[in-house]
Amino acid sequence: ARVTNISQEGVNHLQKLMVFSVYEDKEDTFRQVIDWDSITSRITQGVEVRADFRESFVKKLDAGERFTSKWIRERNAAIRGGGSFSFVKLHVDGPSTQAVFRLIDQLGGANFYGLVLGTMSDGGVRGIDIYDYGKAELISQSLRRSYLAFAAAASPKLRSQLKGWEAAFVDHAEDF
C-alpha cells in the first residue's frame, strides 16, 4: 500500500531503527523495520504451485531471517573501519514512497537503498521491500528469480503460465 500520510515522527522512528540495525549488527531490529509477509507475497505473487512447495520455500527463507542476517552482516562489514550508513531523504515517486539510505564503505564506495514504505493493517508504517540502487532492483525481484527457478523445476506446468522475462528466465535458468 502506498504511504500518503506519513508523519515525520514515523519516518524518524524507522530511519533510526534501520541505521541502528546496521551499525549494531542487530537482525532483530531490522526485522521490526521490514514486513516479511509483504515481501514474501511479492516474491510468490501469481505463481501457482502446490501449497506445500510455497510453504517450503518461505520456510527456507526463514521468514526473512536468513536474508536478514546476510543483509545486515554485509552492510555492517562495509561500515566497519570508517564507513557510514545514514538516512538521506524521503522520496515519493508515483505510487512508491521510499526512505532512502546511503552506504559509504571504508574504501569510499557508495550505494543507496530505498526502504519502500507501506501502511500496515494496524496503521503503522514498515518497509515492504528494499530497492537496491546499485543493482537497480527490489530485493523481492532478486528473490523472485530464485523462486521461479525452483518452482518451475518442481512444477513443469508452471512454464506455460509465465510470460515475458519470467518465461525466458525459467527457460534458461539452468544456464545460470
Side-chain angles (χ1 to χ4, degrees):
R2 179 175 177 203
V3 178
T4 54
N5 189 14
I6 181 171
S7 69
Q8 189 60 47
E9 181 180 319
V11 171
N12 290 344
H13 179 68
L14 278 180
Q15 65 101 359
K16 285 177 184 173
L17 286 176
M18 186 78 159
V19 171
F20 176 79
S21 67
V22 170
Y23 273 98
E24 300 300 324
D25 199 11
K26 297 289 188 184
E27 296 171 37
D28 57 335
T29 303
F30 184 63
R31 282 193 291 273
Q32 292 174 36
V33 173
I34 301 294
D35 178 35
W36 283 104
D37 289 339
S38 292
I39 293 175
T40 300
S41 178
R42 287 170 171 238
I43 294 167
T44 61
Q45 181 179 12
V47 179
E48 294 180 30
V49 293
R50 294 183 332 268
D52 63 323
F53 173 83
R54 182 186 184 283
E55 289 170 19
S56 173
F57 184 86
V58 171
K59 193 174 199 175
K60 286 178 183 167
L61 281 178
D62 294 325
E65 289 178 33
R66 188 170 302 159
F67 178 83
T68 299
S69 174
K70 181 181 177 207
W71 200 91
I72 290 295
R73 193 173 48 251
E74 288 173 354
R75 298 325 160 275
N76 181 267
I79 63 170
R80 270 190 249 128
S84 67
F85 185 81
S86 59
F87 175 73
V88 177
K89 68 177 186 169
L90 192 63
H91 177 69
V92 178
D93 182 20
S96 178
T97 301
Q98 297 179 7
V100 179
F101 297 85
R102 178 183 58 229
L103 171 77
I104 299 176
D105 67 25
Q106 64 272 27
L107 299 175
N111 195 12
F112 291 85
Y113 300 94
L115 181 64
V116 180
L117 303 178
T119 305
M120 302 296 100
S121 58
D122 65 2
V125 176
R126 291 178 71 191
I128 58 171
D129 217 331
I130 298 175
Y131 186 80
D132 183 327
Y133 283 81
K135 293 179 180 177
E137 72 177 352
L138 296 163
I139 60 166
S140 62
Q141 292 170 322
S142 297
L143 294 171
R144 182 173 175 87
R145 283 193 300 278
S146 296
Y147 182 71
L148 289 173
F150 290 120
S155 178
K157 293 187 297 182
L158 174 65
R159 168 55 188 93
S160 64
Q161 300 169 12
L162 300 174
K163 297 189 182 353
W165 75 264
E166 290 182 340
F169 178 79
V170 167
D171 287 345
H172 300 284
E174 289 181 9
D175 300 339
F176 297 109

